[in-house]
Amino acid sequence: AQSVSQHNHHVILSEAASLELGCNYSYGGTVNLFWYVQYPGQHLQLLLKYFSGDPLVKGIKGFEAEFIKSKFSFNLRKPSVQWSDTAEYFCAVSANNAGNMLTFGGGTRLMVKP
Amino acid sequence: KAGVTQTPRYLIKTRGQQVTLSCSPISGHRSVSWYQQTPGQGLQFLFEYFSETQRNKGNFPGRFSGRQFSNSRSEMNVSTLELGDSALYLCASREGLQEQFFGPGTRLTVL
């Protein structure tokens, strides 16, 4: 069975700081990778996804993530965060042979100070 | 297109009761998945339905069940509620190889 680890549970940054959130998964086969964001009081929204191809994927709101297969990692980055990025971020994995089942990491709460 | 809708948004039940939650997927989406979100366990997969058939099931007791109708709407049922069932229950829909789109969730409180 696959599992997902997010190393940082809470991150506090000042506006304009750079962001990198770590995500590692364990699964030996082919996976699809996702980052979802949950803003306060709102539902989960997709930031970006990786299915195949270029391992550097760009998502909405200036976020990007890099899939490093050898490290089983899919870290999320943003060069300059804004106060409006305050939210909880979830990394998720689906194995190609597991249908639509998503396995989520524990989430990272990001607080951006104005 | 309208997004995934879930009803009710909030529910309060007592231990031992049962509850039914409803999910209407995005129009045209035939796959519906359910997740439980709690502070302690995070987001956990419950089950997935596709064309009225359960295609996948997570590691939850048999008290948790679901079904899907011919119009792709789905319901999940929890019988003999326990305090630990208090959670946000999320529904997500998908079509083909696209990502899953999540609804706002139903907040269940068990007293």
Side-chain angles (χ1 to χ4, degrees):
Chain A
Q2 62 258 38
S3 65
V4 181
S5 296
Q6 291 182 241
H7 316 297
N8 313 100
H9 298 296
H10 292 90
V11 173
I12 301 174
L13 294 172
S14 297
E15 275 194 315
S18 64
L19 170 72
E20 180 158 3
L21 301 182
C23 172
N24 284 90
Y25 67 93
S26 67
Y27 182 72
T30 304
V31 294
N32 301 316
L33 298 154
F34 308 83
W35 275 97
Y36 281 87
V37 61
Q38 193 170 34
Y39 297 104
Q42 297 187 28
H43 56 273
L44 277 169
Q45 301 171 40
L46 183 72
L47 271 180
L48 46 78
K49 62 188 177 186
Y50 173 80
F51 286 176
S52 64
D54 188 345
L56 183 61
V57 293
K58 296 191 183 300
I60 61 171
K61 305 186 180 185
F63 286 91
E64 65 177 32
E66 185 175 13
F67 171 48
I68 303 179
K69 190 174 181 180
S70 61
K71 294 184 178 180
F72 297 90
S73 70
F74 190 56
N75 292 353
L76 180 71
R77 300 194 291 250
K78 185 171 184 178
S80 176
V81 294
Q82 301 172 318
W83 176 78
S84 58
D85 293 324
T86 295
E88 190 161 15
Y89 293 80
F90 295 93
C91 180
V93 165
S94 71
N96 272 1
N97 65 353
N100 293 328
M101 183 182 85
L102 286 173
T103 299
F104 284 88
T108 297
R109 287 188 184 273
L110 170 66
M111 178 183 291
V112 179
K113 298 184 294 184
Chain B
K1 282 184 180 178
V4 177
T5 58
Q6 293 186 243
T7 56
R9 294 292 311 277
Y10 301 91
L11 263 180
I12 300 176
K13 293 285 188 179
T14 55
R15 280 183 299 174
Q17 288 187 309
Q18 75 165 24
V19 68
T20 299
L21 313 181
S22 180
C23 170
S24 292
I26 291 171
S27 177
H29 287 194
R30 289 175 292 169
S31 166
V32 173
S33 298
W34 289 88
Y35 295 83
Q36 182 196 63
Q37 185 176 21
T38 60
Q41 299 298 318
L43 279 152
Q44 294 184 286
F45 172 78
L46 279 157
F47 28 64
E48 179 207 353
Y49 286 88
F50 179 82
S51 293
E52 302 180 66
T53 302
Q54 187 179 89
R55 193 156 69 171
N56 244 323
K57 190 176 190 310
N59 190 25
F60 278 82
R63 300 184 297 107
F64 291 81
S65 63
R67 59 177 174 168
Q68 186 180 35
F69 302 95
S70 58
N71 62 357
S72 294
R73 191 176 69 84
S74 177
E75 289 181 347
M76 67 163 280
N77 185 276
V78 188
S79 63
T80 320
L81 283 167
E82 300 177 0
L83 294 179
D85 297 333
S86 294
L88 181 67
Y89 290 89
L90 297 173
C91 169
S93 75
R94 166 178 164 160
E95 182 57 28
L97 298 177
Q98 299 306 307
E99 70 271 17
Q100 295 188 42
F101 294 85
F102 284 82
T106 294
R107 173 78 60 187
L108 172 65
T109 301
V110 182
L111 302 176

